[in-house]
Amino acid sequence: MDIRAGMATARLDYVAPWWTYWLHNFPHFSFFFQSVDNTFKPEEASYQQSLIVLACVGAVGLGLSLLILAVYLVCLCCCRKEIDEDTKRPDTCCITWAAVITGLIICSAVGVGFYGNSETNDGVYQLTYSLYNANHTLGGINNLVAGSMGNVETGLKQHLERLDEIFSTRTDYLQALRFMQLMVNNVIRELTALPDINKANVDLAAIADQTAFIEYYRWLTYLLLLILDLVICLALCLGMARQSRWLLITIMVFVVLSLILSWASLGAGTATAVGTSDFCVSPDKFIVNQTKDFLSADVAHYYLFCSPNLPNPFQQSLTICQRSLTTMQIQIQGLLQFSVPIFPTAERDLLGIQRLLNSTEFSLHQLTALLDCRGLHKDYLDALMGVCYDGVEGLLYLSLFSLLAACALSAMLCAIFRVWTLMGSRDKEYDDIDEEDPFNPQARRMSYNPRRNQSMLFGGSPRYENVPLIGRGSPPPSYSPSMRTTYLSMTDAQIRHFGTDFQV
C-alpha cells in the first residue's frame, strides 16, 4: 500500500470521541442569556461570554453549598435547644459513619483526580510535542528555501557575470550563458512562489511554549489540591479521635478553602472541556480560517487531509526547479568539456557553478521530502489525538473529582459542626453534675480526704470530729483497737463535758 494512501486512511479514521459531541451540545449563552453559536470562535466576544457563563457553574455550586450549610447550622442550633435534658450521652454512631463515608468518597475522588490529572497532562504533552515537531519541519523548510535562494541569486549570478566577461568573444558560449540565466530566473521564480510559512513557524513555537507553561501550573495546582484533600481526611480522623477543638477549627478552615477551590476547578474545567470539544468537533474549519492570511485554501487542505485525491500544490514548482537545475548541469558539463581548453580561466567559475548546482539540487530533494503532507499531517493527527482524546477525557475526570470532592467536603463540614455540638453537650453535662453525687468522679476523688468525710459524718461540726459515736443514741459499737486508744486519750475538759458515764 502506498504510504500516502495509508496516511489518508488514517485521517479518515479520525472521528471526534463521543464525549466531545456531548460537551459540544451544551447550551451556550451570553451574559444576557442569548443563545450563542457553539462553533469554536475564541476571538469573538459572544463566544467568550458563553464560556464564562459555563465557568460560573462553579460559583452557583459554591453558593448552593454555602446555603445548605447555613440552613443546616440553623436547624442544628434549633434542634439543640430541644434535646431532652435527661439524655446524658447522645448517640454518635450516625455522625461517625457519616464522617467515614465522606472520607471514603473524598479518597475515591482523589483517585479519580490523580488519573484525570495524569491523562490531561499526557494529552497536553502530546500536543506540545507535535507542535514542536511541526515547528521543526517548518523551520527546516524555511532554511532550505532561504539557502537555495541564496545559492541561486548570489552565487550563480556572480559566476555567470564573470563567465560573461570571459566568453565575450564567443557568441555560442554567450548564448549558453543566456540560457542558463533563464533557468536561474525560473528557479528563483518558483522558489519565491512557495508560500511564506515563517509566520506559521513563529505561531506554532509561541503556542507550544505558552501551552507548556500553562499546563505546568495547571498540573501543579491540581496536585496540591489533591494532596490537600488527603491531608484533610487524615486530620479529620485525628480530630474526631482526640476530640480537639483547635484541631477541628483548623480542619474547618482548610475544608472551606478546599471547598472553594473544588467548585472553582469544576467551573474552570467545565468551560475548558466545552471549549476544547467545540474545537475537536470541527478542527479543520478553524485551522483553515486561522491560516487564510498566509496560506491558500488548497495548501491548507493538502496538509489537513493528505488525501491522494488532492494534488500536491508544490509539485509543479518543485518539478520546474528540478528540471531547470538538471538543464544547467548539462550546460555546465558541455562548457567544461569544450570551453576550458580555449578559456582556462573559466574553469574556476564553471566548477563553482557545478558545486552550487549540486548543493541546490540536494537541498531541493530535502525540500521535496519536507513539503510532502505525510510528516506534517502525522503531527496534526497526533496533536488532535492528544487534545481530543486524552486531554478532554482527563478534564472530564477532573470535573468529576471536583464535583465529588465539593459534595463530600460540604457533608464533612456538616459532620464537623455536629461533632462540635456534641463536644459542647459533653462539657455542659460535666458542669451540671452534683458534687454530692457519689457517682461523680470528682466526688470519688474527694472521698480520699478523711478529714472532710469525717466532718460530713458528724454533721460538719468539728466538735465531734475526734469523738467516738458513744453517747449519741446509737447502739454500742464494737470497738477496734484504734478507736479504744482514741477513747482513752480523752482530755479532762472532754470528761467534764460528757461526764463520767463513759469512763472505764
Side-chain angles (χ1 to χ4, degrees):
M1 179 182 291
D2 182 63
I3 297 178
R4 183 177 298 178
M7 291 302 299
T9 303
R11 177 60 184 88
L12 293 175
D13 289 340
Y14 168 75
V15 177
W18 64 266
W19 53 80
T20 59
Y21 286 99
W22 177 63
L23 293 170
H24 178 66
N25 291 327
F26 274 23
H28 293 60
F29 294 104
S30 64
F31 291 159
F32 303 101
F33 297 99
Q34 295 178 352
S35 180
V36 178
D37 185 16
N38 56 3
T39 304
F40 186 68
K41 298 177 181 178
E43 68 280 357
E44 293 187 0
S46 59
Y47 184 80
Q48 296 174 3
Q49 292 178 7
S50 67
L51 295 183
I52 294 175
V53 170
L54 289 173
C56 291
V57 171
V60 174
L62 179 60
L64 290 176
S65 296
L66 296 178
L67 179 61
I68 293 173
L69 289 173
V71 173
Y72 178 79
L73 278 176
V74 172
C75 295
L76 192 63
C77 294
C78 295
C79 294
R80 183 180 178 185
K81 297 178 181 179
E82 300 175 358
I83 295 177
D84 188 5
E85 295 180 355
D86 296 334
T87 304
K88 296 297 183 181
R89 181 68 60 185
D91 187 13
T92 60
C93 180
C94 293
I95 192 64
T96 301
W97 277 107
V100 171
I101 292 174
T102 55
L104 291 176
I105 293 176
I106 290 178
C107 292
S108 302
V110 168
V112 173
F114 272 113
Y115 177 77
N117 201 29
S118 176
E119 283 292 298
T120 304
N121 184 258
D122 291 342
V124 176
Y125 174 79
Q126 189 171 352
L127 168 65
T128 55
Y129 183 79
S130 300
L131 288 176
Y132 283 126
N133 275 347
N135 180 71
H136 179 74
T137 301
L138 296 177
I141 293 174
N142 289 331
N143 293 333
L144 289 174
V145 172
S148 300
M149 289 288 292
N151 289 339
V152 175
E153 287 184 339
T154 305
L156 286 180
K157 283 189 174 182
Q158 290 178 354
H159 288 297
L160 290 176
E161 289 175 357
R162 286 195 293 267
L163 289 175
D164 189 71
E165 296 178 358
I166 296 174
F167 297 151
S168 59
T169 58
R170 295 291 301 267
T171 56
D172 51 346
Y173 295 158
L174 290 176
Q175 186 177 2
L177 294 179
R178 299 293 181 271
F179 183 75
M180 292 179 59
Q181 184 64 48
L182 180 62
M183 296 296 102
V184 170
N185 293 335
N186 289 339
V187 173
I188 294 175
R189 184 183 66 253
E190 298 302 328
L191 291 177
T192 306
L194 293 177
D196 185 10
I197 52 179
N198 283 319
K199 186 175 181 180
N201 185 25
V202 174
D203 287 344
L204 287 181
I207 292 173
D209 292 338
Q210 186 177 8
T211 303
F213 177 80
I214 295 175
E215 169 58 19
Y216 172 75
Y217 286 101
R218 184 212 61 79
W219 173 84
L220 182 61
T221 301
Y222 269 103
L223 181 64
L224 294 177
L225 181 59
L226 293 168
I227 294 175
L228 176 62
D229 288 345
L230 288 179
V231 172
I232 287 174
C233 290
L234 297 177
L236 178 63
C237 296
L238 181 62
M240 294 186 64
R242 296 187 59 182
Q243 298 288 304
S244 174
R245 288 182 178 274
W246 70 266
L247 188 55
L248 287 179
I249 293 174
T250 304
I251 293 173
M252 281 191 289
V253 173
F254 283 101
V255 167
V256 172
L257 175 63
S258 181
L259 180 65
I260 295 173
L261 293 177
S262 296
W263 283 116
S265 64
L266 177 62
T270 302
T272 305
V274 171
T276 307
S277 298
D278 292 340
F279 167 78
C280 292
V281 168
S282 182
D284 304 327
K285 182 178 179 181
F286 173 75
I287 294 177
V288 170
N289 291 332
Q290 291 296 312
T291 58
K292 62 183 180 181
D293 294 335
F294 55 92
L295 284 182
S296 60
D298 57 339
V299 174
H301 283 93
Y302 172 70
Y303 286 111
L304 293 177
F305 298 99
C306 197
S307 172
N309 299 324
L310 294 175
N312 187 342
F314 310 111
Q315 188 62 49
Q316 183 177 359
S317 297
L318 294 174
T319 301
I320 293 175
C321 289
Q322 183 64 47
R323 290 176 178 175
S324 299
L325 292 176
T326 302
T327 303
M328 285 189 286
Q329 287 279 18
I330 296 173
Q331 295 293 326
I332 292 297
Q333 290 291 340
L335 290 175
L336 283 173
Q337 181 179 0
F338 297 106
S339 66
V340 170
I342 304 174
F343 302 99
T345 56
E347 183 178 8
R348 179 180 177 183
D349 290 309
L350 291 173
L351 292 177
I353 292 175
Q354 191 176 47
R355 286 192 298 268
L356 288 176
L357 290 176
N358 291 334
S359 175
T360 304
E361 191 171 3
F362 178 74
S363 298
L364 190 63
H365 286 298
Q366 290 182 314
L367 183 61
T368 303
L370 291 179
L371 287 174
D372 188 82
C373 66
R374 288 172 291 183
L376 288 175
H377 182 68
K378 181 181 182 301
D379 295 331
Y380 175 63
L381 286 180
D382 291 341
L384 285 181
M385 296 296 290
V387 173
C388 302
Y389 280 82
D390 294 341
V392 178
E393 181 185 8
L395 288 175
L396 286 176
Y397 280 109
L398 288 175
S399 299
L400 178 61
F401 151 73
S402 300
L403 181 61
L404 291 176
C407 295
L409 289 170
S410 300
M412 182 178 288
L413 276 177
C414 295
I416 293 175
F417 294 153
R418 182 58 179 163
V419 171
W420 186 275
T421 58
L422 293 179
M423 291 174 62
S425 300
R426 182 196 63 182
D427 296 340
K428 183 178 179 181
E429 289 167 9
Y430 281 126
D431 293 338
D432 293 341
I433 293 177
D434 188 3
E435 293 183 358
E436 304 298 332
D437 188 354
F439 296 100
N440 184 8
Q442 185 177 359
R444 290 197 295 269
R445 289 194 298 270
M446 293 169 58
S447 65
Y448 292 102
N449 189 347
R451 293 185 60 84
R452 177 177 176 85
N453 283 285
Q454 193 174 24
S455 175
M456 293 171 62
L457 290 173
F458 289 96
S461 175
R463 176 180 177 182
Y464 303 103
E465 287 182 1
N466 295 322
V467 179
L469 298 177
I470 303 174
R472 298 191 180 181
S474 61
S478 298
Y479 281 36
S480 64
S482 60
M483 295 177 66
R484 184 177 180 82
T485 302
T486 303
Y487 175 75
L488 294 176
S489 63
M490 294 175 62
T491 62
D492 293 336
Q494 291 172 331
I495 293 174
R496 287 194 300 272
H497 179 76
F498 293 103
T500 58
D501 295 338
F502 299 104
Q503 289 183 347
V504 179

